[in-house]
Amino acid sequence: MNSFFSVDELKLLGFASIGKNVLISRFARFYGTEQMTIGDNVRIDDFCIISGNVKLGSNIHISAYSALYGSYGIELEDYSGISARTTIYSAVDDFSGNYLIGPMVDKELTNIIGGNVLLSKYAQIGAGCVVLPNLVIGEGSVVGAMSLVNKSLESWGIYAGIPVNRLKDRSKQLLNLIL
């Protein structure tokens, strides 16, 4: 036995669909697998939490201790990835003080704010980042470690900061490697 589920074990987890060459740690946790699709050549490392409506394309790596909370939807397109300890939220509580907060409070007393999060092709999120709901990380963009992504990011940029800002353009040379 190794640290990844076997192909037969992956089938038993109940994903809506799952591709070939998928490596998922036995220490990762999934909630709502019937809403999740996983493409080919995907690796999900130890201690990740993935819940809700999550769609993973192909050639994706989700590094250890990352979390994807997809109640409003999260999609990672081909060749995108997430570094260690990054969290992506498709929904957040309203902290204004006008509502109560938390999953154990009656829904009528809360105000959940949310929207789909999309990591476009070739996008990468650095270690320790937080990505908030209802935004798009543009094709080929990268986000530096420990950044807060609170807005959509244009394509082919290098971003970092709290909140995130565009630092400079990113080369498109990597496209020559796969075309």
Side-chain angles (χ1 to χ4, degrees):
M1 179 179 359
N2 65 35
S3 64
F4 295 108
F5 287 111
S6 71
V7 171
D8 290 334
E9 290 170 323
L10 287 174
K11 291 177 184 174
L12 295 174
L13 292 177
F15 292 104
S17 67
I18 191 160
K20 296 178 178 142
N21 191 34
V22 173
L23 298 173
I24 296 179
S25 168
R26 294 176 185 279
F27 299 105
R29 294 291 178 256
F30 298 88
Y31 303 95
T33 55
E34 68 280 354
Q35 300 177 68
M36 296 178 195
T37 62
I38 300 176
D40 298 330
N41 305 312
V42 173
R43 186 173 116 188
I44 300 172
D45 290 344
D46 293 347
F47 312 115
C48 290
I49 299 171
I50 301 178
S51 67
N53 180 8
V54 176
K55 180 179 179 185
L56 304 177
S58 295
N59 302 295
I60 290 172
H61 177 223
I62 299 174
S63 193
Y65 295 98
S66 292
L68 283 68
Y69 298 111
S71 59
Y72 282 71
I74 296 172
E75 181 177 358
L76 278 67
E77 291 183 342
D78 298 348
Y79 297 100
S80 60
I82 302 170
S83 295
R85 297 189 185 278
T86 286
T87 303
I88 300 176
Y89 297 96
S90 69
V92 294
D93 285 295
D94 181 336
F95 286 85
S96 67
N98 296 319
Y99 302 93
L100 294 177
I101 296 169
M104 302 309 291
V105 175
D106 289 334
K107 299 253 185 254
E108 309 82 51
L109 304 175
T110 67
N111 184 35
I112 305 299
I113 302 162
N116 188 65
V117 175
L118 171 64
L119 270 71
S120 302
K121 278 186 166 185
Y122 317 111
Q124 297 288 322
I125 307 296
C129 292
V130 173
V131 179
L132 296 178
N134 199 30
L135 57 79
V136 174
I137 309 293
E139 180 177 299
S141 285
V142 294
V143 177
M146 305 295 288
S147 293
L148 171 65
V149 183
N150 62 349
K151 62 186 176 189
S152 291
L153 307 180
E154 293 181 20
S155 297
W156 297 101
I158 298 173
Y159 294 84
I162 303 174
V164 71
N165 287 303
R166 188 178 180 112
L167 303 177
K168 62 182 182 176
D169 291 343
R170 183 177 185 215
S171 170
K172 296 181 185 177
Q173 182 63 32
L174 65 87
L175 294 174
N176 296 329
L177 301 173
I178 54 175
L179 298 177

